[in-house]
Amino acid sequence: MAERRAILSGSVFEEQIGYARAVVDGDWVHVSGTTGYDYATMTISDDVVEQAEQCLRNIGAALAEAGCGFGDVVRVRYLLPERDDFEPCWPVLRRCFAEVRPAATMMVCGLADPRMRIEIEVYARRSAGADEGAAQTR
């Protein structure tokens, strides 16, 4: 049976709502929908591009803790309240995903807080032995 491990970012939302930033389940890493909050300061920019950059920093930290990175992402979902906010984020998103080309979906929907302008969720598949390597770097 595959080992299951939760990764917490320290976000107050994880405690208040009852979820993990990511869950490692065997070779699979499921990263929760992640917004542009800087969890160290619990602040969020008004700018959608800055929020997208922070989303990716938060996701990158979770992936690294899981023993993988953006190159291992196989699926990404973008959730935005405003359709017109998506295209300005494309250059930021391309920096992480242009080489790996994960399956992707963009959806227009409401988010939990009106200050949130983008939320990103990813699934990644770690290479064999990734958890052992990650454990050695902790």
Side-chain angles (χ1 to χ4, degrees), residues 5 7 24 29 62-69 72 126-127 130-131 133-134 138:
R5 174 171 62 97
I7 294 173
V24 178
V29 180
L63 291 172
E65 189 170 336
C68 62
D72 299 299
R126 303 179 312 156
S127 31
D131 205 30
R138 285 186 213 138

Side-chain angles (χ1 to χ4, degrees), residues 25-122:
D25 188 11
D27 291 336
W28 289 99
V29 180
H30 306 269
V31 181
S32 295
T34 302
T35 63
Y37 269 95
D38 177 336
Y39 297 126
T41 62
M42 284 308 292
T43 59
I44 190 166
S45 171
D46 292 332
D47 182 76
V48 69
V49 174
E50 289 177 13
Q51 284 192 29
E53 290 169 341
Q54 185 64 50
C55 288
L56 294 172
R57 282 191 292 273
N58 295 340
I59 290 168
L63 291 172
E65 189 170 336
C68 62
F70 286 106
D72 299 299
V73 172
V74 297
R75 167 115 222 27
V76 60
R77 284 193 186 93
Y78 305 106
L79 310 167
L80 295 96
E82 298 294 329
R83 176 179 290 111
D84 292 340
D85 279 348
F86 191 45
E87 190 169 351
C89 297
W90 291 358
V92 172
L93 305 175
R94 219 175 6 257
R95 285 197 298 268
C96 290
F97 300 118
E99 295 298 316
V100 68
R101 305 273 180 153
T105 301
M106 185 281 241
M107 297 171 61
V108 175
C109 61
L111 298 179
D113 181 317
R115 294 173 293 174
M116 297 172 179
R117 296 181 60 191
I118 186 168
E119 184 170 322
I120 303 172
E121 171 186 46
V122 305

